[in-house]
């Protein structure tokens, strides 16, 4: 009888461990404004291999990239989105901001895991400026859980930024699944756009820091945020130390997501 009881307890503990492990999942993400692959100290040169090497070095699972060219003369008339996907071996979703020449300029999401849904939204522009977009993908993690990952590059003009943040927040209200927002938000932590985002998103305020310019950075304008409805805990948050590929530093975050 005692033996049966011990076996029952052992099996129960194993089942509990399996369900506990499945309910918690580590996720590594990266946000990087790549300046269309042009290193600031190398005028006219494009280094997509360097960008891909950085991404692979971080071992990030999902990456949001800003300032990506598709078939533009300044970047050798190549599809940077597809090339970066090929160089990293990841799935991808390109989100156009504007048409340029006979090509496009916008943002990119890369994912190690299967992208099972993708959406692109034009962000509002009350004041005439460059069109910006919001890209959202649904990614299926190894556990089978699905997370939503949003990537954007907000406008420089304050009126547009505030309207664009309002639009992002309206969309975010619809999400029940874990939601991550990354991007170059062109806003400092004490600005009104970030204060608005703080109502619906959590950002790291302990190990964050300036992300622009790349050398002797002065301002934090690049972020990884997590929807407040998402059950998670930070494991790591830092600016990636490589500073020669772009005029921005990449931002890396690792966290544990509670899926159930």
């Amino acid at each position: 009888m005692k033996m049966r009881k011990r076996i029952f307890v052992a099996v129960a503990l194993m089942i509990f461990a399996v369900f506990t492990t499945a309910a918690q999942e580590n996720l590594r993400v990266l946000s990087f404004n790549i300046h269309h692959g042009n290193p600031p100290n190398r005028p006219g040169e494009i280094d997509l291999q360097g960008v891909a090497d950085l991404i692979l070095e971080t071992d990030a699972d999902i990456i949001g990239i800003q300032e990506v060219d598709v078939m533009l003369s300044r970047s050798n008339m190549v599809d940077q989105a597809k090339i970066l996907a090929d160089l990293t071996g990841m799935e991808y979703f390109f989100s156009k901001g504007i048409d340029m020449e006979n090509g496009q300029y916008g943002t990119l999401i890369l994912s190690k895991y299967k992208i099972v849904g993708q959406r692109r939204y034009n962000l509002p522009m009350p004041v005439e400026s460059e069109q910006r977009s919001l890209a959202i993908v649904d990614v299926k993690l190894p556990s089978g859980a699905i997370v939503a990952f949003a990537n954007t590059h907000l406008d420089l003009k304050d009126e547009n930024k505030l309207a664009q943040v309002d639009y992002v927040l309206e969309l975010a209200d619809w999400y029940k699944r874990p939601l991550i927002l990354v991007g170059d938000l062109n806003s400092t932590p004490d600005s009104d756009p970030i204060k608005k985002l703080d109502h619906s998103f959590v950002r790291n305020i302990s190990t964050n820091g300036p992300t622009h310019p790349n050398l002797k950075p002065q301002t934090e304008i690049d972020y990884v945020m997590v929807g407040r409805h998402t059950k998670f805990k930070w494991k790591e948050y830092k600016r990636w130390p490589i500073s020669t590929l772009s005029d921005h530093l990449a931002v890396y975050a690792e966290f544990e997501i509670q899926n159930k």
Side-chain angles (χ1 to χ4, degrees):
M1 194 69 179
K2 288 183 180 179
M3 177 63 73
R4 287 183 180 178
K5 185 175 181 180
R6 284 198 295 269
I7 292 173
F8 175 80
V9 171
V11 170
L13 288 172
M14 288 173 62
I15 293 173
F16 176 78
V18 168
F19 276 90
T20 302
T21 301
Q24 297 177 348
E25 197 150 15
N26 277 3
L27 190 64
R28 298 178 294 272
V29 305
L30 189 76
S31 181
F32 192 18
N33 180 325
I34 66 169
H35 193 245
H36 64 274
N38 170 229
N41 63 339
R42 290 182 270 162
E45 188 174 331
I46 302 298
D47 188 3
L48 293 182
Q49 184 63 62
V51 173
D53 289 344
L54 182 149
I55 291 168
L56 293 172
E57 181 182 335
T58 67
D59 199 26
D61 301 310
I62 316 176
I63 302 96
I65 301 177
Q66 305 85 44
E67 296 196 13
V68 177
D69 284 356
V70 173
M71 307 306 291
L72 298 182
S73 58
R74 68 181 179 185
S75 50
N76 304 324
M77 299 298 294
V78 300
D79 185 339
Q80 293 191 332
K82 185 177 187 309
I83 287 176
L84 286 171
D86 289 343
L87 288 173
T88 57
M90 297 187 185
E91 296 197 9
Y92 76 104
F93 176 53
F94 174 75
S95 178
K96 181 189 77 171
I98 60 173
D99 293 311
M100 286 179 66
E101 301 173 350
N102 292 318
Q104 299 174 335
Y105 170 70
T107 64
L108 169 68
I109 296 175
L110 299 171
S111 176
K112 280 183 184 178
Y113 306 128
K114 187 168 183 59
I115 295 174
V116 296
Q118 56 191 43
R119 296 167 294 285
R120 175 194 171 277
Y121 304 92
N122 273 338
L123 292 177
M125 187 171 54
V127 180
E128 186 62 30
S129 189
E130 181 182 288
Q131 181 63 61
R132 305 294 172 120
S133 72
L134 173 71
I136 305 178
V137 298
D138 302 314
V139 175
K140 188 174 183 179
L141 302 182
S143 67
I146 295 176
V147 300
F149 183 90
N151 178 35
T152 194
H153 186 185
L154 298 186
D155 194 45
L156 288 166
K157 297 181 179 180
D158 289 339
E159 189 172 346
N160 287 344
K161 274 188 288 194
L162 288 169
Q164 290 166 1
V165 163
D166 285 341
Y167 189 91
V168 170
L169 291 173
E170 185 177 348
L171 284 176
D173 282 345
W174 289 89
Y175 281 84
K176 303 301 181 186
R177 66 180 50 148
L179 173 63
I180 299 152
L181 172 68
V182 308
D184 174 357
L185 304 185
N186 276 316
S187 305
T188 58
D190 60 349
S191 66
D192 287 337
I194 299 302
K195 288 178 182 178
K196 277 193 166 190
L197 285 169
D198 284 343
H199 290 295
S200 295
F201 291 90
V202 179
R203 57 189 171 87
N204 189 291
I205 57 173
S206 59
T207 57
N208 60 318
T211 61
H212 183 268
N214 56 311
L215 299 177
K216 298 181 180 179
Q218 301 295 315
T219 57
E220 181 181 9
I221 57 176
D222 303 271
Y223 300 87
V224 173
M225 301 181 177
V226 183
R228 286 196 176 274
H229 67 281
T230 305
K231 294 180 180 179
F232 83 104
K233 65 179 181 181
W234 299 108
K235 297 193 72 175
E236 188 172 12
Y237 190 99
K238 67 180 182 179
R239 296 161 294 163
W240 203 258
I242 296 174
S243 60
T244 57
L245 291 168
S246 171
D247 58 341
H248 290 245
L249 295 179
V251 178
Y252 170 88
E254 180 179 358
F255 31 78
E256 185 180 87
I257 290 181
Q258 187 79 25
N259 292 319
K260 294 180 180 181

